[in-house]
Amino acid sequence: MRTRRLTAVAAAMTAATLMAACSSGTGSGSAAGDDQTLTIASVDQGSIEKVVDAFKAANPGVTVNLTTSGADQYQQQIRTQLSSGTAPDVMTVWPGNGNPGATFVIAKPGYLLDLSDQPWAGQLPEAFKKVAQYEGRTYNALFGLNGIGAVYNDEAMTKAGLTAPGTWTELIAFCRDAAGKGTPAFALGIQDNWVTQIALYALTATTVYGTDKDFDTRMAAGQATFADSPWTTAMAKYQEMNSAGCFQKDPLGTSYEASQTLAATGRTLGIIQGNWIIGLLKQKNPGGKFTMKALPATDNPAEFVMPAAAGAGYGINAKAKNKDLALKFVTFVMSPAGMKVFNEAQGSLPTLPDAGTTVDPGLTDLTTFVKDNRTVPFMDQLWPNAKVQQTMLSGLQEVFSNQATADEVLKDMDTDYKAGS
């Protein structure tokens, strides 16, 4: 049964990839290759458009062919484009090694331009350099810091007469109370398989790293495994949340886009997502106010840790048709003016000082956790290969469809982790 499920997922992703390859975003379809035309592929829907507009305003006469797509589709198609020589000049690149579009994965075969000589590269904080570099060379322009937590619709919470839970026990009670009022606590759109990891990461941050910040080091040394660690606790809590009615009906039949609409319009009280969701929710509800808090995973708030790390950045195709203009765009993204536009549109925190970014007031808790060093990087960023995450994502969909157990998924992740790079 599990084999048939994985085959179906692969077929669905292939179909989605083909559709994404045939669709286009803003300004796509024009001829590329002249010195005034730049091609960009991005997953930053709702924020990259504003950055492109600002870049074009600062560079009159420049044409930007922009294509945007969801993360699942993008990660599948970008590797095909790179290997076939059809990739854009500039592309979304994730930090570290966790997925098919991550820095280590696509820098290793020589697909990315070395950006080590760019002035901003030496200014990146050490923690960011580690995931922006491959073999000591910088390939990724990381402009924003992102975190994961529970994002509440303030108006919907007031209407329901509920307050954000501060402990795990309160969280389960909150979910049951919300369900009893006919408004589920959180929207969950795991039809897009990358979304399956978000709530799990929010739980794992506290259950695993709250008392063991060296867990990743012990994993790399072969001294720990997923299956024999508090990852089992996080998995169990994720399933308990589902059983307690924390999510709307049919998360597997709900897309990421649809989950945004549920949370933005108050049909759920919130959503567990990255801080980038706030900008997207405000697009759907311009008058709305949204507040991010740590997702409780124990009954001791002093143990709470939030996942927070460099978000996806931008790399340049080593075979870009217009490298000079691509470098100009990346330089703009990493400039105070460009970073301010991007961070404020996306709802992220700047990676470099003096960006002048106005941080959304709904991110006060995230800012405090970052300042107090109560964060842990997104779990996949330093895993030895991209397969671990892919196994986790498809496996979580199987857990929600009762086609696999959490223990089976964790053991499969261990197998892929031990395979190395």
Side-chain angles (χ1 to χ4, degrees), residues 182-265:
T183 309
F186 303 110
L188 182 63
I190 57 173
Q191 186 179 92
D192 294 272
N193 79 343
W194 71 268
V195 178
T196 60
Q197 70 196 308
I198 300 298
L200 180 61
Y201 283 6
L203 294 166
T204 301
T206 294
T207 59
V208 176
Y209 298 89
T211 56
D212 185 5
K213 284 221 168 186
D214 294 326
F215 180 78
D216 284 332
T217 301
R218 295 195 301 108
M219 279 284 289
Q223 299 168 356
T225 65
F226 295 115
D228 294 310
S229 76
W231 270 83
T232 59
T233 304
M235 281 283 207
K237 287 180 180 291
Y238 199 178
Q239 292 173 280
E240 185 177 349
M241 288 180 69
N242 190 40
S243 299
C246 288
F247 311 119
Q248 85 288 351
K249 292 182 180 179
D250 193 21
L252 279 167
T254 305
S255 69
Y256 175 50
E257 174 74 20
S259 72
Q260 295 171 35
T261 300
L262 292 174
T265 59

Side-chain angles (χ1 to χ4, degrees), residues 310-334:
Y314 285 87
I316 296 178
N317 184 353
K319 296 182 179 179
K321 295 180 174 64
N322 199 335
K323 288 183 183 179
D324 290 342
L325 195 55
L327 281 166
K328 183 177 283 191
F329 178 77
V330 167
T331 297
F332 178 76
V333 167
M334 298 302 288

Side-chain angles (χ1 to χ4, degrees), residues 260-313:
Q260 295 171 35
T261 300
L262 292 174
T265 59
R267 290 164 61 190
T268 64
L269 300 183
I271 187 169
I272 301 169
Q273 261 295 342
N275 51 275
W276 56 80
I277 199 73
I278 290 180
L280 296 173
L281 297 178
K282 287 184 175 180
Q283 288 180 25
K284 296 179 181 296
N285 181 3
K289 292 184 178 180
F290 305 91
T291 302
M292 171 181 273
K293 292 185 176 295
L295 182 69
T298 70
D299 283 338
N300 181 5
E303 295 176 348
F304 291 0
V305 176
M306 292 183 76

Side-chain angles (χ1 to χ4, degrees), residues 35-64:
D35 60 5
Q36 290 292 91
T37 299
L38 181 68
T39 55
I40 302 175
S42 173
V43 298
D44 291 314
Q45 301 173 28
S47 53
I48 182 65
E49 296 86 352
K50 293 182 179 180
V51 179
V52 167
D53 287 344
F55 176 70
K56 287 163 63 177
N59 295 274
V62 167
T63 297
V64 177

